[in-house]
Structure formats: C-alpha cells, structure tokens
Amino acid sequence: MTSPNQNIYTVSRLNAEVRLLLENEMGIVWLVGEISNLTVPVSGHWYFTLKDSRAQVKCAMFKGNNRRVTFKPANGNQVLVRARLSLYEPRGDYQIIVESMQPEGDGMLQQQFDQLKMNLAAEGLFAASNKQPLPEQPKRVGIITSKTGAALHDILHVLKRRDPSLPVVIYPTQVQGKDAAIQIAQAIGRANSRDECDVLIVGRGGGSLEDLWCFNEEIVARTIAASSIPIVSAVGHEVDVTIADFVADVRAPTPSAAAELVSRDTSVRAQQYSQRADRLKHVLSRHLSRSQERLTRLQHRLAMHHPQARLQQQAQQFDELERRLYQSMRTQLQTQAQRLDRASQRLDRFSPANQLPGLNAQLGYTEQRLIESMRQQLRQQQHKLALQMETLDAVSPLATLARGYSITRGSNNEVIRTQDDVKSGDRITTVLSSGEIQSTVI
C-alpha cells in the first residue's frame, strides 16, 4: 500500500519537476514581442520581458547566446526570438531561455524561409535524384526575369560574348513585389507549354531578403520542381541564397554565371567541371543542411539534459543574489550615512569650537570677578596695614623720644636702666629724638 507521504512534494521538488515538464514537452518555440525591463548585469547575461498588448513573459538570454546577436537590443524593440520554456526554480518564476534574437521583420521572413525549406526538403524537392542535367549544347535559352533589370543585360552580354549564334527567348516578368511570385510561376509554365527552349535561366540581381522574397515563395519552388525544362537559378549575388536555388537543377551564383553555364565555350570540359562542381556544392550544401538540422536537434536534446541548463539557473540565481547584495549594501550605507549625520550633528553641538565663545565669555566674567576680589583683598590688607602701622607707631621708641624721653647707653652700647649700671668716670651716650649727647659720669 502506497504511503500518503509519497505524494507530498517539497517546493524544490515541485519546481524542479515543473521545469523538466516545460523543457521536455514544449521544446523550441518562436516568439514575437516587445522588449521591456532590459537589464544587463556585470555577468554579461541579459534579462528582460517580452510583452504584447495583453500579456508578458520573463526572459533570460545568457552571454554564450547573446554574443551572436547582430544588433543592440533596447526597450521598445519588436523582436522575434527562438527560445525554450523553463522555470527559475528558486523563485518559481515561469520564463523562457532565449537562444537567438532578430528584429521582428527580418526574423519573421527568416523563420518562414527556414520552415518552407524544411518542409520542401522533407518532401524530397531538393533531392539530387530529381535534378535534370543541363544540355551540353543548348539550342535555345529561355530567360525569365525583368525586362528592365540589370540581370537581363548581364545575361545577354555574356551570351553574346560566348556564343552569339545561340537563340534567346525572353519571358518578361516582375521579380519583386506581391505579384512577382505568381508571374514567375506563370512564366515558367508558359515556357514549358511552348516547349521552345531546352534550358531556362530564372533570376534577378541582388537585393535584401525582402526584395528577393518572391523566389522564396512556395508556388515558385513547386513550379520549378515540376518543370520539364532544366532550370538554372540565378538569384542575386553569390552570398544570396533562396528556396529557388535549392529546387532548381543548377544554382548559379550570379546571372552572369548562369549565362556562362548554359552557353557554349571552347573549354567544354571546364564547363562540365563547373557544372559538376556546382552539383557537388549543392550536394554538400544539402548534406550540411541536413547535418545542421540533426545537430540542432541533438543540441536541443543535449540542452535539456546538459549541466549548462543548471549552470544557467545558477548564473541567474547568482545575478539575483548579486542584485539583492547590492541593494542590501546600499541600504546599509544609507543607514550608516544617516547615523554618521546624526553623530556629526551631536558632535557639532558639543564641539569645543562651538562652546569656546561661551567659555570665553564665562572666563572673562570670572576674570573680572577675580580682579575685583583681588582689589578688595588689597584694600582690606592696606587698611589693616595702616592700622598696624598706627599701632606700631604709637609704641615706637622714636615716638617716645619725640615726647621728650631719651635713651642712655653705656660704653658697651647697652641701655642704662638704673644708676647702678654706671660708675663715676664712665662715658655714656644719650640718644634724643634728634641727635646724641655724649657725657661723662661724675
């Protein structure tokens, strides 16, 4: 019997299993939306929100993928992203992990191109077994392009230079715009129904992906594949690749090169070698395309089970912790700054510099009081000294002498107090208040 506790999930286990469900069940998705809340921390990862008028979803694009983005995203950009669904386990946030990003317009066209290419390849329209060889010596060449374009001029110039006797039939058509694909398909059908040419050149000069888009339309691809006349695709420059190039029997890098392929020349072997090399390039291109698709599938499977997924989760968690740490440090710094400000204010209040004027005033007051006290003490001491001098003067021998008294001293300068202190013949000195008198005792 199953224990009820076995059905109880922890939050961590629940989030982990939900993340695996999202990543394994949904796989790769394409998503269009507007970028908002874009943040780029020091780790180099991108975090943003994709939104439309009714909803939004959180996104993360790690720096291993965002290095391949060819433009600098900003808030408000409309983009097309290729991503896988996931869950940021620590917060339980549903999010998408973006693997590639393009501006919305170019991205939508590129997505349609890849989808149609995959569908047609799965049907076998690109298979080498369906390719028709070009005639070694064509009797008449058909050209399907604009009658006013530079591509027609280039083709005719090369044909005239290489084989002036080769007849040419021109099937004029639009090669740009919304009606171009239908007109190109009709021109191919018209050439097949007339059966007047044994090889067709279909193409135009170079341009943007949008300019060349009519050669990526399904109707053109299927019409080329159904043609009984061998077709050389000559669309744009050498770097331009269209669906028509994959379906056509031979792909020429430029309109002039297409004219080289279908025209006679003295070096026939070189022409055959070029054709075979071109076929080999197509075979290699198809092989590389299939290998790339297989590699993409394997990469997706690896991404779902690779430790990198966990590392990306941890990288995102690290960025979150870094943000929280920065916020905490900023809060602490603000708190310490406020405490420092309060302490500074208190210090200002008790600063000796601020207290010095009051202390100086108090010192001046105390000094005045001290001076006054000393003056009072001096007056008291002077008065007391005057009294003592008066008392001393009253008992002074000089004062006694001044009243008519005198002092008599013997020869040994001792004071004579009685008559017994002298004898006849002694010399004595009498001190008066003014002067002295020397006498002899008789």
Side-chain angles (χ1 to χ4, degrees), residues 132-142 166-167 171 191 195-200 228-231 262 264:
Q132 303 180 77
L134 299 181
E136 293 186 3
Q137 295 185 353
K139 299 177 181 179
R140 185 177 283 108
V141 176
L166 182 63
Y171 302 91
D195 196 23
E196 55 190 351
C197 302
D198 47 6
V199 65
L200 294 174
S228 60
I229 303 174
I231 293 179
V262 302
R264 302 184 189 94

Side-chain angles (χ1 to χ4, degrees), residues 376-423:
Q376 186 176 359
Q377 288 288 332
L378 182 59
R379 287 194 296 269
Q380 291 176 355
Q381 293 298 325
Q382 288 175 341
H383 179 67
K384 185 177 180 181
L385 177 61
L387 293 177
Q388 290 178 346
M389 288 180 67
E390 291 178 358
T391 302
L392 180 61
D393 187 61
V395 295
S396 172
L398 296 177
T400 303
L401 292 177
R403 292 196 301 269
Y405 292 94
S406 63
I407 298 174
T408 301
R409 299 180 182 274
S411 58
N412 55 1
N413 205 29
E414 291 181 355
V415 176
I416 298 173
R417 294 181 174 82
T418 65
Q419 62 180 1
D420 295 330
D421 292 333
V422 294
K423 60 183 181 294

Side-chain angles (χ1 to χ4, degrees), residues 10-23:
T10 63
V11 177
S12 300
R13 178 187 168 195
L14 175 64
N15 285 353
E17 296 200 10
V18 170
R19 181 180 64 82
L20 290 176
L21 283 174
L22 287 173
E23 293 179 352

Side-chain angles (χ1 to χ4, degrees), residues 346-358:
R346 293 178 58 193
L347 182 61
D348 287 341
R349 288 199 304 268
F350 296 102
S351 173
N354 294 332
Q355 294 183 0
L356 191 59

